[in-house]
Amino acid sequence: MYRIKDALRALRNRWVISILLLIQFTYGLSTITGSSNIFLNLYDMNFNSLLDLKSTYVVVPAKGSASAHTLSKEQVDKVYSQLEQHPDVISLGTYAEEILLLDTSSNPDRRLMDQLTRSSMTSGLNEPFITGIMIDEQYNELLNGQFAAGTGFTSQDFRKNSQGQMPILVGSFFKSYYSLGDLINHKYKIVGFLPNKYLVYSNTSNVYLKLDKAFIMPMPTDRFDSNDAISSRLQQTTILTLKPNVNVDELNNIFSSNQVNLTLKNLGASVHENIEQNMYLETFQTILGLAFVLFSITGIVVTTIVSLMIRKREFGIKLALGEHPLGILGQITIENILMGVIGFGLSLIHFQWKYKELLQISKEINMLSPLDFKLDGSILFIIFIIFSFIIVVSSFIIYLYIRKQDIKSLIGGME
């Protein structure tokens, strides 16, 4: 306890330098927190897709084409038929975006209701809901049984209409509130839980559906057969798995020969393009973060050495009385840790203030993107590692300096 009191007294005596270091810690760690969010999101985008990035292709509007327009059922069926018969196409599936409003009377757990997404700002909905997708039977084959628990869907599940009971896969978040076989809204029977990965939510966007708080359900027959829905799914939500080294131009000829302004784009290429764009934008922030680490180490070392020179007699007397240089180092390290902890706390406050809107949107919308900012355990762990690195490296340099000092010169110094 006396060391902590001495540390507080020392920081008070050099309060000008301490404040400057606090400002450096505040802005530096806040910058690194933002960069850590982006790099973690880019990592998730690169490695946590439920669909294989290399073999999966999405259908998107061709360059220079107008917005999506309604195609006839004959056009759509012909395109699908030619794609499915092509030797390079392994499988083809479609999906539709969906929002499931929760009936609070059938879901009485208040904790669940409080934690679920309430994004009135972005969707205009004031009731708790779950975001997800409906998939056809071919899309279900693309998933290849990749879920954490349960049996998944059967062929019969894709023969039901929206009026009857429907099976549903939900994210791992719901494991705390539901078990296999439970019903949501007295209608949707949980048959499995999804892994903590992501899926494409819209072929034309650069955001993806995080599955931890999402759902997947079979597409009801009355939704599947709708002409408008079929046309929309072809142009916006069709996914294919292709063989390696496929000739994509040959497949694109199927669209052009049917007067359909669409093209295929590799999912991995789309994700990596998004990653590269954001990596380029993040370069300056990364440089600032690295500069902060360097300046923090330099600042701590310089201010500590200045403190040692001012307090020579104090430390010389301690060494003469038997204090080990490591004890002096411990005293200095406590001072730096106290200052760093305060700066760490201020940096989190600054980060929450600076990215308030992004943090709020990330809570409300269960989507993965480079700007999916959060302040969870993984982010705090990264910041703690960087903070610890700064303290350890600066303390080691200071220790090397202390070892070179002799007692006689220290006691003759000025306090």
Side-chain angles (χ1 to χ4, degrees):
M1 180 60 71
Y2 79 91
R3 288 193 182 277
I4 295 178
K5 290 181 179 179
D6 285 346
L8 292 172
R9 178 173 59 84
L11 292 176
R12 185 185 61 210
N13 291 338
R14 53 183 173 118
W15 64 272
V16 175
I17 298 177
S18 298
I19 289 176
L20 292 176
L21 280 177
L22 278 179
I23 294 173
Q24 183 175 307
F25 267 108
T26 299
Y27 285 96
L29 287 177
S30 178
T31 299
I32 289 179
T33 303
S35 298
S36 299
N37 266 280
I38 292 178
F39 282 115
L40 275 182
N41 293 331
L42 296 182
Y43 175 87
D44 286 342
M45 291 171 63
N46 209 11
F47 295 102
N48 285 331
S49 171
L50 194 62
L51 299 172
D52 181 66
L53 295 180
K54 292 183 179 179
S55 61
T56 302
Y57 287 73
V58 294
V59 176
V60 297
K63 287 185 178 180
S65 63
S67 57
H69 57 282
T70 302
L71 304 172
S72 67
K73 190 175 186 304
E74 291 71 23
Q75 278 182 293
V76 175
D77 288 343
K78 188 176 181 180
V79 170
Y80 278 145
S81 176
Q82 292 179 7
L83 288 174
E84 289 173 342
Q85 293 174 15
H86 196 281
D88 287 329
V89 177
I90 299 174
S91 56
L92 180 153
T94 66
Y95 66 96
E97 303 167 10
E98 185 71 359
I99 288 179
L100 177 60
L101 291 174
L102 290 181
D103 178 5
T104 55
S105 63
S106 64
N107 299 277
D109 195 319
R110 204 58 249 170
R111 295 176 304 152
L112 174 62
M113 297 298 104
D114 291 340
Q115 292 189 60
L116 283 177
T117 310
R118 295 175 180 269
S119 54
S120 56
M121 178 182 68
T122 54
S123 66
L125 299 174
N126 295 318
E127 296 297 324
F129 64 89
I130 315 174
T131 305
I133 58 173
M134 297 185 299
I135 63 174
D136 62 17
E137 191 168 5
Q138 289 74 24
Y139 191 110
N140 187 52
E141 294 175 1
L142 297 178
L143 299 181
N144 195 28
Q146 296 184 69
F147 39 85
T151 59
F153 303 134
T154 66
S155 295
Q156 192 60 36
D157 293 332
F158 296 91
R159 310 290 182 266
K160 300 178 179 180
N161 62 42
S162 57
Q163 301 304 313
Q165 186 182 96
M166 297 293 295
I168 190 172
L169 299 170
V170 295
S172 59
F173 167 81
F174 298 95
K175 282 186 177 181
S176 300
Y177 308 98
Y178 294 106
S179 301
L180 291 174
D182 287 349
L183 292 177
I184 298 178
N185 289 2
H186 301 297
K187 178 178 180 178
Y188 302 100
K189 183 178 180 180
I190 298 177
V191 296
F193 291 97
L194 298 166
N196 291 330
K197 296 191 175 185
Y198 74 88
L199 280 175
V200 176
Y201 190 63
S202 174
N203 289 3
T204 57
S205 72
N206 60 354
V207 295
Y208 308 93
L209 179 65
K210 293 189 293 185
L211 296 179
D212 57 328
K213 290 185 179 180
F215 73 87
I216 298 177
M217 62 179 288
M219 191 174 296
T221 54
D222 48 337
R223 289 284 297 272
F224 184 87
D225 294 333
S226 167
N227 183 52
D228 289 342
I230 292 174
S231 174
S232 175
R233 291 205 309 277
L234 172 61
Q235 298 180 78
Q236 300 177 20
T237 57
T238 293
I239 291 181
L240 299 89
T241 300
L242 306 181
K243 293 180 179 178
N245 304 316
V246 62
N247 186 344
V248 179
D249 291 336
E250 185 178 314
L251 285 167
N252 283 330
N253 287 335
I254 294 176
F255 297 119
S256 59
S257 64
N258 288 282
Q259 287 76 52
V260 177
N261 294 322
L262 298 173
T263 187
L264 291 176
K265 186 171 185 178
N266 178 253
L267 178 59
S270 179
V271 169
H272 292 151
E273 181 180 309
N274 196 2
I275 290 174
E276 288 176 3
Q277 290 175 351
N278 284 277
M279 286 287 286
Y280 176 77
L281 294 174
E282 190 60 21
T283 300
F284 181 69
Q285 289 289 93
T286 303
I287 293 174
L288 283 179
L290 293 175
F292 155 71
V293 173
L294 177 62
F295 292 151
S296 293
I297 293 173
T298 304
I300 289 175
V301 171
V302 170
T303 56
T304 302
I305 290 176
V306 169
S307 177
L308 281 170
M309 294 178 66
I310 295 174
R311 300 157 66 192
K312 276 185 177 182
R313 182 174 298 175
E314 172 192 339
F315 292 128
I317 293 173
K318 287 183 177 181
L319 291 172
L321 293 175
E323 178 79 85
H324 194 277
L326 286 176
I328 303 297
L329 175 64
Q331 176 67 43
I332 299 298
T333 302
I334 290 174
E335 296 174 12
N336 293 331
I337 288 176
L338 285 175
M339 184 169 53
V341 168
I342 296 172
F344 180 79
L346 291 175
S347 72
L348 297 183
I349 295 173
H350 178 264
F351 175 79
Q352 289 179 312
W353 170 79
K354 184 177 181 180
Y355 297 106
K356 179 180 179 180
E357 292 186 1
L358 283 176
L359 289 168
Q360 185 64 28
I361 291 173
S362 297
K363 287 181 180 180
E364 294 175 344
I365 302 179
N366 192 40
M367 297 293 169
L368 174 64
S369 75
L371 295 179
D372 175 33
F373 275 19
K374 51 192 173 295
L375 201 56
D376 58 13
S378 58
I379 297 296
L380 293 177
F381 177 74
I382 291 175
I383 306 306
F384 174 76
I385 292 297
I386 294 173
F387 170 73
S388 300
F389 174 79
I390 292 171
I391 296 299
V392 169
V393 173
S394 59
S395 297
F396 178 73
I397 296 174
I398 294 166
Y399 177 66
L400 295 179
Y401 175 81
I402 293 175
R403 285 185 59 185
K404 294 180 180 180
Q405 307 304 309
D406 62 90
I407 298 175
K408 187 176 181 180
S409 63
L410 288 174
I411 292 178
M414 183 180 296
E415 187 174 359

